[in-house]
């Protein structure tokens, strides 16, 4: 009987174990989890609802959401991707639903549905799950793998490393002659202290454009003002694609915000039209743009050196230009970042050049596999990191079950 040891009791580890055992019931599979509980990231994902995947059904399009891993995942996504994820869970009694923003959740609306699905499967299949089993060492001898934990030693024919973003596990990978790309945070809020947005936490605009000054980094989408500064999909995607660049800048950089997603000249023309059509009305009292909430409008008007009681008829050309600039290219200074448990993802991990993505197997050691975030693969927020786990786990499981 072939023995498999999976390091990591998270989504990638469980998914790999379940698929491998279903494909080859003769396998003896053990999952080693360092903590007291398993599937903790699944539990808190998506605000406790578990953002299982994203409703993007074309492999080429799906890869574009991965700042690191885009090229490597194209082949694997042709073997197992979003539609397969829907089918996999629905076949196990967990139907999924697509929400308006294309994120995918269990119809039950709770991550417990996914956790129960996994737990029931490992119980029914006879897969051993051991908690409080942090791995101290791994080595290979005579084509066998030997794994040491503080509790006991294990011998295996196959080892799957599925421990997520773990410094200790990455250090173990180094002992196996694998290169680790130094991790940096990938999804984070831009910390900005600026009188234009202070105390406006919770206000959002639906389609802003955001650029990092003196770089090619830019993105558009919903933008959210928070207690710490700026967040929302526009910022989080930008932080993911710019993870390395922003880390090199020590998280100090200038951000250009186009609140309307329109060019400056177009907005200036609209403002000039308002000077005529709204001549007797006070500028600050009402936002003429439906996407700009009133409180934000007030701040941008004030920042444009326009007095509170000024009417549209009395605004000068310079003030109009100032206002157009604030609306379309406001400059904000970012200093630092804020990450949250539910959105914490790292850019970094096992160097992708050292992995055979037809099997998710090490090119350096036969029968050593890597799946999930232990690899230098990460994605923007929205279910994509889980899809990477499902795809890698499925392909790895097929390779082990041969």
């Amino acid at each position: 009987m072939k023995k498999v040891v999976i390091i990591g009791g998270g989504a990638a580890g469980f998914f790999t174990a379940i698929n491998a055992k279903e494909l080859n019931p003769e396998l003896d599979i053990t999952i080693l989890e360092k903590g007291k509980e398993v599937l903790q990231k699944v539990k808190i994902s998506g605000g406790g609802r578990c953002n299982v995947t994203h409703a993007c059904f074309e492999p080429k399009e799906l890869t574009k959401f991965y700042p690191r891993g885009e090229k490597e995942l194209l082949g694997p996504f042709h073997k197992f991707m979003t539609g397969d994820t829907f089918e996999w869970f629905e076949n196990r009694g967990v139907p999924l639903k697509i929400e308006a923003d294309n994120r995918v959740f269990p119809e039950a609306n709770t991550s417990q549905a996914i956790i129960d699905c996994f737990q029931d499967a490992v119980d029914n299949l006879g897969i051993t799950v051991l908690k409080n089993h942090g791995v101290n060492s791994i080595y290979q001898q005579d084509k066998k793998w030997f794994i040491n934990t503080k509790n006991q030693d294990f011998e295996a024919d196959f080892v799957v490393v599925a421990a997520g973003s773990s410094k200790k596990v990455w250090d173990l990978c180094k002992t196996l002659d694998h290169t680790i790309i130094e991790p940096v945070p990938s999804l984070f809020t831009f910390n900005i202290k600026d009188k234009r947005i202070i105390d406006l936490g919770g206000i959002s605009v639906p389609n802003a454009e955001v650029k990092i000054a003196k770089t090619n980094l830019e993105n558009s989408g919903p933008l959210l003002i928070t207690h710490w500064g700026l967040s929302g999909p526009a910022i989080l995607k930008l932080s993911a694609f710019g993870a390395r660049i922003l880390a090199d800048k020590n998280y100090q950089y200038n951000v250009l915000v186009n609140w309307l997603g329109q060019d400056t000249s177009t907005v200036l023309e609209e403002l000039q039209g308002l000077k005529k059509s709204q001549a007797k009305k006070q500028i600050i009292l009402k936002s003429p743009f439906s996407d700009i909430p009133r409180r934000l409008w007030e701040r941008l008007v004030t920042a444009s050196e326009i007095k509170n009681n000024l009417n549209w008829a009395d605004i000068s050309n310079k003030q109009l230009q100032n206002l157009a600039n604030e609306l379309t290219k406001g400059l904000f200074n970012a200093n630092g970042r804020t990450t949250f448990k539910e959105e914490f993802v790292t850019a970094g991990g096992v160097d992708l050049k050292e992995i055979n993505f037809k099997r998710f197997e090490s090119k350096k050691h036969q029968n050593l596999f890597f799946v999930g975030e232990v690899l230098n693969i990460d994605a923007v927020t929205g279910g994509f990191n889980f899809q990477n786990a499902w795809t890698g786990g499925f392909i790895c499981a097929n390779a082990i079950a041969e």
Side-chain angles (χ1 to χ4, degrees):
M1 181 181 284
K2 297 282 188 180
K3 292 186 177 181
V4 182
V5 168
I6 296 177
I7 299 168
F14 269 72
F15 199 79
T16 305
I18 293 164
N19 282 285
K21 187 73 172 181
E22 287 182 343
L23 289 164
N24 185 350
E26 297 301 311
L27 291 174
D28 179 2
I29 302 178
T30 301
I31 297 174
L32 303 179
E33 165 58 38
K34 70 173 182 179
K36 296 177 181 178
E37 299 295 336
V38 294
L39 299 166
Q40 285 302 289
K41 196 161 187 178
V42 171
K43 187 175 183 178
I44 63 173
S45 159
R49 297 193 298 138
C50 190
N51 186 183
V52 178
T53 185
H54 199 89
C56 176
F57 297 93
E58 290 293 328
K60 185 96 175 160
E61 286 301 308
L62 187 58
T63 63
K64 292 178 182 177
F65 293 94
Y66 296 81
R68 285 146 293 273
E70 178 180 356
K71 179 181 70 175
E72 290 80 5
L73 287 174
L74 182 57
F77 281 158
H78 277 94
K79 295 180 181 177
F80 190 96
M81 62 168 297
T82 313
D84 303 296
T85 300
F86 270 81
E87 185 178 5
W88 195 94
F89 282 103
E90 288 179 1
N91 285 345
R92 289 159 179 80
V94 185
L96 306 179
K97 62 174 180 175
I98 303 172
E99 299 202 338
D101 58 3
N102 283 332
R103 290 187 301 165
V104 176
F105 294 88
E107 281 187 5
N109 232 27
T110 172
S111 57
Q112 197 61 45
I114 305 298
I115 293 170
D116 290 346
C117 171
F118 286 164
Q119 292 278 20
D120 290 346
V122 297
D123 290 345
N124 293 334
L125 292 166
I127 295 168
T128 303
V129 180
L130 298 176
K131 302 170 187 176
N132 296 309
H133 271 67
V135 175
N136 296 322
S137 66
I138 313 169
Y139 66 94
Q140 190 178 35
Q141 186 175 318
D142 298 328
K143 295 188 177 181
K144 288 284 187 180
W145 287 98
F146 297 88
I147 303 97
N148 168 260
T149 75
K150 65 179 181 180
N151 296 303
Q152 65 190 99
D153 296 325
F154 299 85
E155 181 183 316
D157 299 285
F158 305 94
V159 170
V160 181
V161 183
S165 304
S166 165
K167 184 182 185 304
K168 184 173 182 181
V169 172
W170 280 326
D171 287 342
L172 286 174
C173 295
K174 290 178 183 177
T175 69
L176 298 169
D177 198 32
H178 270 286
T179 305
I180 302 300
I181 307 300
E182 198 61 30
V184 296
S186 175
L187 293 175
F188 50 87
T189 288
F190 293 178
N191 284 14
I192 296 172
K193 291 183 178 178
D194 190 291
K195 61 184 179 182
R196 287 168 290 179
I197 59 173
I198 198 166
D199 297 328
L200 294 186
I203 282 180
S204 64
V205 298
N207 191 31
E209 291 178 356
V210 187
K211 299 180 181 180
I212 306 299
K214 298 181 180 179
T215 74
N216 293 323
L217 294 170
E218 58 181 276
N219 187 42
S220 61
L223 179 64
L224 173 68
I225 300 172
T226 74
H227 173 71
W228 297 276
L230 296 177
S231 189
I235 296 295
L236 294 176
K237 187 174 182 180
L238 199 58
S239 74
F241 279 87
R244 291 279 163 203
I245 294 171
L246 301 183
D248 289 343
K249 291 179 176 291
N250 198 28
Y251 304 104
Q252 296 183 24
Y253 46 90
N254 288 322
V255 184
L256 289 162
V257 178
N258 184 336
W259 298 98
L260 292 168
Q262 301 178 35
D263 63 73
T264 307
S265 60
T266 300
V267 172
L268 182 58
E269 284 182 22
E270 290 187 52
L271 294 175
Q272 289 167 337
L274 289 165
K275 180 179 168 71
K276 297 176 182 177
S277 64
Q278 306 289 322
K280 295 183 179 180
K281 295 185 178 179
Q282 283 188 14
I283 298 166
I284 205 165
L285 288 182
K286 183 180 179 182
S287 168
F289 301 98
S290 59
D291 287 353
I292 304 292
R294 182 183 59 80
R295 290 172 64 207
L296 176 60
W297 169 255
E298 290 172 358
R299 297 290 180 86
L300 297 179
V301 169
T302 301
S304 304
E305 300 179 358
I306 297 169
K307 292 181 180 178
N308 287 355
N309 59 355
L310 195 70
N311 291 337
W312 280 103
D314 302 318
I315 192 171
S316 69
N317 288 335
K318 181 183 178 182
Q319 288 171 320
L320 279 173
Q321 186 66 60
N322 288 346
L323 186 53
N325 291 344
E326 281 293 341
L327 286 162
T328 60
K329 49 186 178 184
L331 187 65
F332 294 83
N333 176 253
N335 186 358
R337 57 178 173 74
T338 299
T339 55
F340 306 92
K341 281 186 178 180
E342 63 267 22
E343 63 186 33
F344 187 77
V345 176
T346 55
V350 177
D351 193 333
L352 305 186
K353 293 192 293 289
E354 300 172 358
I355 304 298
N356 170 10
F357 280 92
K358 291 181 179 179
R359 295 166 57 85
F360 278 73
E361 186 176 20
S362 165
K363 290 180 179 178
K364 293 176 178 270
H365 301 281
Q366 192 174 8
N367 297 335
L368 174 65
F369 298 82
F370 297 92
V371 294
E373 290 177 33
V374 70
L375 293 164
N376 184 29
I377 293 176
D378 63 283
V380 301
T381 184
F384 302 101
N385 286 299
F386 273 136
Q387 185 57 54
N388 169 44
W390 314 141
T391 296
F394 181 82
I395 292 172
C396 171
N398 275 267
I400 289 170
E402 287 173 353

